[in-house]
Amino acid sequence: MSDTNSSKAVYIRPVRPADSPVLNRICLLTGNAGQSAEHLHTFGELIGLVYAEPYAHLPATFGFVMVDPAKGDEVVGYILGAYDTRTYEKHALHEWFPRVRAKYSYPPETNEGATEADKRYINILYNPPRAPQAAVDYSPAHLHIDILPEYQRQGWGRKLIKRAVEYLRDERGLTNLWLGLDPKNEGAKRFYERLGFKELQGAPVGTMGLDFADF
């Protein structure tokens, strides 16, 4: 697809650093198994600081966003990831998390009004986990995908993944990728299985891999 669009149809373009605030918002609005996680957080920005915004800023990352011209070119969905997960983790550890966690105190329970979900994410900011070695052994590339509820089940998930596969295959020379999903999100698991994703043996539950030949 073109990066610009003269019609009123939703289209896909590469992510930009300026997209950061809306990426964060979409992450919150889809952060509860595809639905809004607003009611779970006092500090609603936390989930996006972990799973969305860094991919618009750090090395070894890539991303594409859905844009709706009918809503003033609003970003309504995204696919974000790293083509080199370990390099991404290194930059996130030293450049991203120290900066964004500064407004939150540690340990997490010392933040007034913090919910249990907030505490989990504040802990991640201070103690970022590393991707499972079994997943990285399968592929250096991982991704996250989130689409606002009103744009779900319209084929956009497949289109975003197709765009990511083309990028990783044609520009990075890769043959597969992986992602982690909430094991409670059975609908998402079925969606990924239809696209050719399979559970990765030896990785945590919810870790799924895609061989591009199966897509």
Side-chain angles (χ1 to χ4, degrees):
M1 287 189 183
S2 170
D3 292 346
T4 59
N5 193 44
S6 58
S7 72
K8 292 296 183 181
V10 176
Y11 65 97
I12 297 171
R13 64 160 171 80
V15 71
R16 304 165 182 161
D19 295 323
S20 202
V22 71
L23 300 179
N24 187 297
R25 182 66 177 163
I26 292 171
C27 198
L28 176 65
L29 293 177
T30 57
N32 182 28
Q35 301 301 309
S36 178
E38 291 174 287
H39 63 290
L40 300 175
H41 292 273
T42 299
F43 303 104
E45 71 280 1
L46 283 167
I47 185 170
L49 291 176
V50 173
Y51 291 123
E53 289 195 64
Y55 296 93
H57 298 278
L58 295 179
T61 60
F62 68 94
F64 301 94
V65 297
M66 293 165 51
V67 179
D68 190 347
K71 290 190 174 181
D73 288 329
E74 177 183 345
V75 173
V76 296
Y78 59 70
I79 190 164
L80 304 167
Y83 57 82
D84 183 335
T85 294
R86 293 298 186 222
T87 295
Y88 164 77
E89 289 177 335
K90 180 179 68 174
H91 285 280
L93 178 66
H94 296 294
E95 300 165 23
W96 179 259
F97 289 120
R99 179 168 62 84
V100 300
R101 71 191 179 207
K103 66 176 287 189
Y104 311 100
S105 59
Y106 192 84
E109 55 269 18
T110 60
N111 293 270
E112 185 175 356
T115 65
E116 289 306 309
D118 290 331
K119 294 173 189 176
R120 286 198 303 274
Y121 283 102
I122 292 170
N123 189 61
I124 290 173
L125 295 183
Y126 279 90
N127 302 282
R130 283 170 57 84
Q133 189 59 46
V136 177
D137 287 344
Y138 175 78
S139 172
H142 77 272
L143 59 78
H144 302 278
I145 180 171
D146 286 308
I147 300 171
L148 289 176
E150 58 266 39
Y151 295 86
Q152 295 175 12
R153 297 177 178 82
Q154 298 176 33
W156 285 107
R158 176 184 289 272
K159 291 176 182 177
L160 285 170
I161 292 174
K162 179 175 183 288
R163 188 70 176 265
V165 166
E166 290 171 347
Y167 167 80
L168 292 171
R169 181 190 63 211
D170 299 343
E171 299 191 35
R172 295 296 169 183
L174 298 179
T175 59
N176 49 18
L177 61 81
W178 61 273
L179 57 79
L181 57 83
D182 183 344
K184 299 189 297 292
N185 195 341
E186 288 291 333
K189 182 178 180 181
R190 289 192 296 271
F191 164 74
Y192 290 123
E193 288 174 338
R194 288 196 298 270
L195 295 183
F197 284 80
K198 298 178 176 65
E199 288 272 2
L200 286 187
Q201 298 301 312
V205 174
T207 309
M208 303 187 75
L210 175 68
D211 187 316
F212 296 166
D214 295 333
F215 180 69

